Amino acid sequence: MIMDLDAAATGSPFAPYGTPVRSRLLLGTAQYPSPQVLSDAIRTADVSIVTVSLRREAARAKGGERFWDMIRGLGVHVLPNTAGCRTPKEAVTTAQMARELFGTDWIKLEVIANDDTLQPDLFGLVEAAGTLARDGFKVFPYTTEDLGAAERLLAAGCEVLMPWGAPIGTGRGLANPYALRTMRAYFPGVPLVVDAGMGAPSHAAQAMEMGYDAVLLNTAVAKAGDPIRMAAAFARAVEAGRLAYAAGLMEARDMASPSTPVAGTPFFDLDLKA
C-alpha cells in the first residue's frame, strides 16, 4: 500500500468540486488485460478516482454490468467521460446518459477536434461545458494549455481544468512544460490535473513538481508489462513530486555553486625539502 502523506507535508488536499480525495493519481479503466488486473492495479496504487467510458461499457451489455459491479466494490469515485464525442450535442447527450447510468453528476468532458492528435475542440468544449454546468453537472474538461480557453471554461462554470500533457496514448510526457508552468502560475487557485500523454512515472513526478494538483493516465499503466507494478510506480512518483513541490524546489542556476564553502578552509604550506 502506498504511504499516506499528511496534508501538512503536501499542502492542501486535492478536493475537486469540494470532495476531498486521498490520492492525486487518477486512472482510466480501458485496455487492461483483465478486470482482475485492473482491480489489483487500482487497489495497489490506492487510487480514489477512475474514469469510465459510457460507450465502451454500454456496448458490453451484461459484461458492462459486471464491470460496473466491480468498480462499485472498489469504493472509488467514478468519473464518466465523453470519449469519442465530436460535437457539443453528442457530448451533452452522452453526459446525460452517463449521469443516469452511473448515478453521478461528475463528467470528464471530451469534445475531439482531430482524429490524428485527439486534440480537444476548444470551441465545442466551451459550448458543451456551459450547457452541462447549467444542467447541474460538475465538469472536468479535457483541454489544452490555452489560457483563453481556460478562462472561458471557468466562466462557463468549470471549477477544475484538465490540460493535456501530450496527445492521448503517445507516452511522450509533458510536450510543452513552459505552457504548463505558465498555466499553473496563471490560475493559482484552480485545481489543475494533467491529463493524457504520460508514459513514465517521471513524467507524472514532473507535473506534480510544477504544482499541479493531480495527474490522469491510462495507457501507460494498462499497457505496461506489469500494470500492477506500474500503477504502484506512478502512485509513488505522484507522491514524490507533490512532496517535492511542497518542500520547495531549488532554482536552476547557470553557473556552478559549491556545496562546501571554501571560505575559512585551512590550507597547509608543505615544505617539500624536509
Side-chain angles (χ1 to χ4, degrees), residues 77-247:
H77 296 277
V78 174
L79 179 60
N81 65 43
T82 62
C85 292
R86 295 296 193 274
T87 67
K89 182 178 180 180
E90 185 181 13
V92 168
T93 300
T94 302
Q96 292 168 338
M97 293 171 62
R99 181 163 60 181
E100 293 297 321
L101 178 61
F102 296 110
T104 178
D105 54 9
W106 282 15
I107 192 72
K108 179 190 171 186
L109 179 61
E110 297 183 30
V111 182
I112 300 303
N114 181 277
D115 289 336
D116 293 324
T117 65
L118 300 181
Q119 180 172 344
D121 174 357
L122 298 181
F123 300 100
L125 187 67
V126 171
E127 179 183 339
T131 300
L132 291 171
R134 289 189 295 272
D135 193 26
F137 281 90
K138 296 177 173 63
V139 182
F140 295 68
Y142 167 61
T143 184
T144 68
E145 318 92 330
D146 186 282
L147 298 183
E151 288 182 320
R152 286 165 174 78
L153 287 167
L154 294 173
C158 299
E159 297 181 14
V160 176
L161 298 175
M162 302 179 72
W164 65 353
I168 295 171
T170 61
R172 299 185 65 84
L174 308 186
N176 194 342
Y178 169 78
L180 287 171
R181 287 193 185 95
T182 301
M183 190 176 201
R184 176 70 284 180
Y186 201 80
F187 299 107
V190 176
L192 299 179
V193 181
V194 175
D195 178 12
M198 285 171 283
S202 58
H203 299 155
Q206 183 184 7
M208 299 304 294
E209 288 170 0
M210 291 180 181
Y212 275 78
D213 295 279
V215 299
L216 193 163
L217 53 104
N218 187 163
T219 308
V221 170
K223 290 297 193 179
D226 187 334
I228 299 169
R229 287 185 176 180
M230 188 60 74
F234 268 100
R236 286 175 166 84
V238 167
E239 288 192 343
R242 179 64 186 183
L243 187 59
Y245 170 74

